[in-house]
Amino acid sequence: MSDETATSGRRIAVLGEMLELGDGAVQAHRDVGRMAAEHGVDLVVAVGGDMAKQLALSAGAAGVPDIALVADNDTAAAFLTRLLQPGDVVLIKASRGGMLWQIAQQLTGQPVTGIDGKPFPETCSPSASPALVDSTDL
């Protein structure tokens, strides 16, 4: 998300885990969280497990005002569906293995596909409701 991205709404970064980084994984995820703050992101939605938590904690510590940590793509899509407003700009990025394209597919009404490009059997669960937290609460 460029600093020059013009938007009347919020800058939202949906960030998943980067796979196969080895010993540098923790620091790499922390760096991404910090960079989100440096680029003026208003909300980070971190998707995944321990590495997503490192990313979220770092983003909050660096100044991103709102952080959400969710376990999976379905929960992220359900959360964003309730949250997005006209004018918001959303960046979705992770390793291919995280299949975060499924979030974009769900948000745009496209069929959800797996890593092989074939339709994925599960869809967004409307019962999922992660909490939006102020980064000072982390």
Side-chain angles (χ1 to χ4, degrees):
M1 195 171 303
S2 166
D3 291 335
E4 293 83 34
T5 301
T7 177
S8 60
R10 298 165 295 177
R11 292 171 160 207
I12 300 170
V14 182
L15 304 170
E17 295 178 322
M18 300 175 287
L19 306 176
E20 301 177 11
L21 294 179
D23 293 340
V26 171
Q27 189 58 50
H29 285 84
R30 288 176 180 164
D31 290 345
V32 170
R34 178 186 43 78
M35 286 187 275
E38 290 172 358
H39 290 282
V41 171
D42 300 303
L43 166 64
V44 165
V45 179
V47 183
D50 292 338
M51 292 299 110
K53 185 174 182 178
Q54 291 297 319
L55 191 156
L57 289 169
S58 179
V64 174
D66 293 308
I67 309 293
L69 177 61
V70 298
D72 56 55
N73 295 343
D74 286 342
T75 305
F79 177 64
L80 289 164
T81 297
R82 290 189 296 277
L83 180 80
L84 289 177
Q85 301 169 2
D88 288 346
V89 174
V90 180
L91 166 76
I92 300 175
K93 184 68 179 131
S95 285
R96 182 165 161 73
M99 300 189 291
L100 264 63
W101 66 79
Q102 294 175 341
I103 298 168
Q105 289 172 325
Q106 290 181 44
L107 293 175
T108 59
Q110 298 176 40
V112 176
T113 59
I115 203 150
D116 59 1
K118 295 180 181 175
F120 201 71
E122 299 185 26
T123 57
C124 186
S125 168
S127 63
S129 58
L132 175 64
V133 296
D134 185 288
S135 62
T136 59
D137 293 337
L138 294 175

